[in-house]
Amino acid sequence: MATAARVQYVVDSLPHPLRETITATYYDGRTYQETAHRLGISEQVAKQRMRLGLQLLATELTEVRDEDGGDGADGTRGGAAPAPPAAGTATAGAGAPAGSLS
């Protein structure tokens, strides 16, 4: 199953209060304050629901990934980030100070 489809499947399987909070915040692009107002809950409750919903989402997606052999979207085993470049290896923007536009 493609990654976007997996995420949508897991989001759809979340309990309704968590699903509606995640949907309003991430998919609809609302702030926590806007989500809370829309759902008739406090901003703190919106944040708690987001935290719990994202934890469940991460757990479920990790289990699905492990069932599929552990390959991450980046082609590494277990979804680990690729190793950083070796010392002395040229990288994009090398030599320019951080935040520099030149």
Side-chain angles (χ1 to χ4, degrees):
M1 187 184 300
T3 302
R6 286 180 184 168
V7 171
Q8 189 61 55
Y9 176 80
V10 175
V11 168
D12 290 344
S13 70
L14 290 172
H16 181 72
L18 304 180
R19 182 176 62 248
E20 72 179 349
T21 303
I22 288 174
T23 299
T25 305
Y26 277 110
Y27 294 114
D28 297 345
R30 290 183 168 87
T31 64
Y32 288 123
Q33 185 177 22
E34 292 168 336
T35 295
H37 179 74
R38 178 177 178 269
L39 301 178
I41 58 177
S42 72
E43 188 173 344
Q44 185 62 35
V45 169
K47 289 178 181 180
Q48 289 170 344
R49 287 181 182 179
M50 282 295 298
R51 181 181 49 79
L52 180 56
L54 292 175
Q55 286 174 340
L56 290 172
L57 184 64
T59 299
E60 290 298 318
L61 290 174
T62 299
E63 289 174 6
V64 168
R65 183 191 66 213
D66 291 345
E67 290 170 6
D68 288 346
D71 289 334
D74 59 6
T76 58
R77 295 291 296 163
T89 304
T91 59
S100 165
L101 296 177
S102 52

